[in-house]
Amino acid sequence: MGTSVLSLRIDGELLERLRDHAAKRGMSVQDYVIRTLIRDDFDERFQAAVEETEKFHGLT
């Protein structure tokens, strides 16, 4: 398996929240995001967020 680069554009407020969460754990933002993505329950939490967004926008 190779590696890829993921580039994100996020607003300043969200980035500050990520920095705060990462700092509390003594981590970089990048490490914090990766750790969050590899959590066992990420897929389930992500799917729930997608479903809520679709409901909000009337897509379902």
Side-chain angles (χ1 to χ4, degrees):
M1 177 184 286
T3 62
S4 299
V5 173
L6 173 64
S7 176
L8 300 172
R9 182 180 304 263
I10 58 176
D11 71 4
E13 185 178 319
L14 178 56
L15 181 57
E16 284 305 313
R17 289 175 53 203
L18 287 170
R19 283 183 179 141
D20 289 343
H21 286 287
K24 288 177 186 175
R25 292 158 180 80
M27 304 171 78
S28 69
V29 171
Q30 292 87 346
D31 288 342
Y32 177 78
V33 170
I34 294 301
R35 182 173 163 216
T36 301
L37 291 173
I38 61 173
R39 283 181 47 178
D40 289 338
D41 64 341
F42 175 78
D43 290 337
E44 293 144 14
R45 292 171 43 236
F46 183 74
Q47 184 60 42
V50 168
E51 290 169 3
E52 287 298 315
T53 301
E54 289 175 345
K55 285 181 198 174
F56 179 78
H57 292 288
L59 300 175
T60 59

